């Protein structure tokens, strides 16, 4: 029996073969571009501000980073890689990330304490890094917090413009939340750190806090937390430190209280209930920066944004608020952003930011 003859035709190789890989390498080396790859996000931390527990170190933060990577991959379809860095100055982090630049398309900073996180972001804006940088605690938390406050206020029949909001904590999350509430038109915003109210005349303010002091507290109030809460309508807790019942009692009747640290919240339920407050602790009400961060990253990667602007954050918050508007009859203390599909929400935020920046170039549904 004669052996089977080979059918004529061009030689073919399977996708992902060595030949395909070689051609891809040569195209990239020649600067010709190549096939479209999944975006890769590097999730970076030094463990200096972990889960409201402070400085736990790079080794302890690894489970947090792995969980963030899992959430990002599920919500965006991007590849996410964790990177825990040993303690060093921000310039050393920036140098390390510059050397790793061929391996990623975007950076997500997480659990890095202020003011180092602000300095690192400034350094990563340099051209030799040149990629989107989103800060989970800063940008993601601010969007989530502002959306939760806006939703609770709207459900109680009020508007942000007629209210006074106090943000307790002036770190990465607190400072950006205060700026975003101000940007959204909140009537008055006050910020308190461990020393007391921020105001322009206060000594030894960091440059970031000095800028925040000039933007907030229009009446120049001075004093401790109790003074800040006097006559306030909204309290957002982002410090992890407990707020005394006597201080909380200085707020106006039926305030909105949003303690976002966990597992130990800043405000006890019984203290909020005594004021008839709308009480929205993070864990019980499913409030997490995971609601906003994936969408911010998706928008940044698709649009080539170095970092989200305050307008982008406001757009993202508005997107979350519009999702909660589907439940107009919900009581003020119902979970304001519950039941969100993270993937659908991420795509909606990315589309909203794209449409706001360039109405004629909106992102497709995918």
């Amino acid at each position: 029996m004669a052996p089977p003859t080979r059918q004529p035709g061009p030689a073919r190789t399977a996708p992902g073969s060595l030949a395909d890989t070689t051609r891809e390498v040569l195209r990239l080396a020649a600067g010709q571009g190549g096939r479209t790859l999944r975006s890769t996000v590097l999730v970076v931390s030094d463990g200096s501000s972990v889960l409201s527990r402070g400085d736990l170190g790079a080794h302890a933060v690894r489970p947090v980073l792995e969980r963030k990577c899992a959430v990002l991959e599920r919500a965006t379809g991007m590849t996410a890689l964790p990177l825990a860095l040993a303690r060093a100055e921000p310039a050393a982090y920036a140098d390390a990330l510059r050397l790793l630049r061929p391996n990623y398309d975007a950076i997500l900073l997480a659990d890095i304490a202020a003011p180092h996180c602000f300095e690192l972001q400034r350094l990563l804006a340099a051209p030799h890094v040149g990629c989107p940088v989103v800060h989970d605690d800063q940008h993601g938390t601010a969007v989530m917090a502002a959306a939760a406050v806006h939703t609770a206020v709207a459900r109680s029949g009020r508007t942000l413009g007629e209210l006074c909001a106090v943000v307790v904590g002036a770190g990465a999350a607190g400072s950006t939340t205060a700026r975003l509430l101000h940007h959204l038109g909140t009537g008055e915003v006050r910020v308190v750190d461990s020393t007391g109210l921020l105001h322009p005349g206060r000594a030894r303010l960091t440059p970031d806090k000095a800028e925040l002091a000039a933007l907030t507290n229009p009446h120049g109030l001075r004093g401790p937390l109790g003074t800040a809460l006097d006559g306030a309508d909204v309290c957002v807790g982002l410090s992890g430190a407990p707020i005394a019942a006597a201080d909380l009692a200085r707020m106006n009747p039926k305030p909105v209280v949003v303690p976002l640290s966990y597992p130990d919240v800043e405000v006890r339920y019984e203290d909020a209930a005594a004021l008839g407050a709308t009480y929205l602790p993070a864990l019980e009400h499913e409030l997490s920066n995971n609601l906003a961060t994936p969408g911010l990253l998706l928008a940044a990667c698709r649009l080539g944004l170095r970092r989200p602007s305050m307008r982008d954050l406001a757009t993202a918050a508005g997107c979350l608020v519009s999702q909660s508007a589907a439940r107009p009859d919900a009581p003020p203390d119902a979970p304001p952003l519950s039941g969100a599909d993270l993937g659908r929400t991420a795509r909606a935020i990315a589309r909203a930011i794209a449409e706001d920046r360039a109405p004629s170039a909106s992102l497709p549904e995918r």
Side-chain angles (χ1 to χ4, degrees):
M1 180 176 179
T5 58
R6 182 177 177 180
Q7 296 297 319
R12 298 181 181 275
T13 56
S17 69
L18 179 59
D20 285 340
T21 302
T22 301
R23 284 192 288 270
E24 181 77 6
V25 167
L26 294 176
R27 278 197 297 268
L28 292 172
Q32 298 174 358
R35 61 190 174 89
T36 301
L37 302 173
R38 291 176 63 185
S39 294
T40 297
V41 179
L42 206 58
V43 184
V44 180
S45 180
D46 64 358
S48 57
S49 180
V50 183
L51 297 177
S52 307
R53 296 302 181 96
D55 187 353
L56 300 183
H59 185 73
V61 80
R62 286 169 59 188
V64 178
L65 297 184
E66 290 167 3
R67 182 178 184 277
K68 290 181 186 294
C69 287
V71 170
L72 282 176
E73 292 190 341
R74 186 169 68 249
T76 67
M78 295 188 283
T79 298
L81 304 174
L83 180 65
L85 295 172
R87 191 61 44 80
E89 291 300 311
Y93 294 163
D95 287 341
L97 292 170
R98 176 177 57 83
L99 294 174
L100 292 169
R101 182 64 183 87
N103 299 281
Y104 60 85
D105 303 291
I107 294 172
L108 176 64
L109 302 178
D111 296 344
I112 300 176
H116 277 190
C117 61
F118 302 131
E119 177 62 18
L120 180 56
Q121 286 181 80
R122 283 190 281 267
L123 292 170
L124 293 177
H128 62 252
V129 177
C131 75
V133 178
V134 174
H135 189 181
D136 196 29
D137 310 291
Q138 184 179 349
H139 303 127
T141 299
V143 168
M144 172 273 294
V149 169
H150 190 291
T151 300
V153 166
R155 286 177 178 173
S156 66
R158 296 175 287 179
T159 64
L160 287 175
E162 61 189 283
L163 302 180
C164 171
V166 175
V167 178
V168 184
S175 63
T176 307
T177 298
R179 293 173 192 274
L180 183 52
L181 287 172
H182 178 272
H183 181 87
L184 291 171
T186 304
E188 181 179 348
V189 180
R190 305 168 186 168
V191 183
V192 183
D193 65 5
S194 58
T195 303
L197 269 159
L198 296 191
H199 58 85
R202 213 180 88 179
R204 294 186 295 278
L205 289 175
T206 65
D208 294 291
K209 286 187 178 182
E211 184 180 323
L212 188 58
L215 185 68
T216 59
N217 191 8
H219 302 296
L221 297 177
R222 305 184 180 207
L225 175 58
T227 302
L229 290 172
D230 195 15
D233 306 286
V234 176
C235 175
V236 181
L238 286 162
S239 69
I243 297 175
D247 289 335
L248 197 71
R250 298 176 68 170
M251 298 184 72
N252 285 336
K254 297 184 177 180
V256 174
V257 178
V258 189
L260 292 175
S261 295
Y262 54 85
D264 300 320
V265 297
E266 293 89 348
V267 177
R268 299 184 305 169
Y269 168 78
E270 51 266 35
D271 296 339
L275 303 177
T278 298
Y279 180 64
L280 303 173
L283 282 181
E284 290 87 339
H285 287 74
E286 304 173 38
L287 299 178
S288 163
N289 44 26
N290 290 333
L291 292 165
T293 297
L296 295 174
L297 264 174
L298 202 57
C301 288
R302 291 185 183 180
L303 301 174
L305 310 178
R306 292 294 180 86
R307 61 181 296 178
S309 68
M310 193 56 61
R311 179 166 172 165
D312 294 332
L313 300 184
T315 299
C319 187
L320 292 180
V321 170
S322 67
Q323 291 189 5
S324 70
R327 303 169 58 203
D329 299 327
D333 60 350
L337 309 172
S338 65
D341 178 291
L342 294 184
R344 186 180 298 115
T345 300
R347 293 188 295 273
I349 288 175
R351 282 197 308 277
I353 291 174
E355 290 167 0
D356 181 69
R357 281 179 168 264
S360 62
S362 59
L363 293 174
E365 175 75 42
R366 60 179 182 178

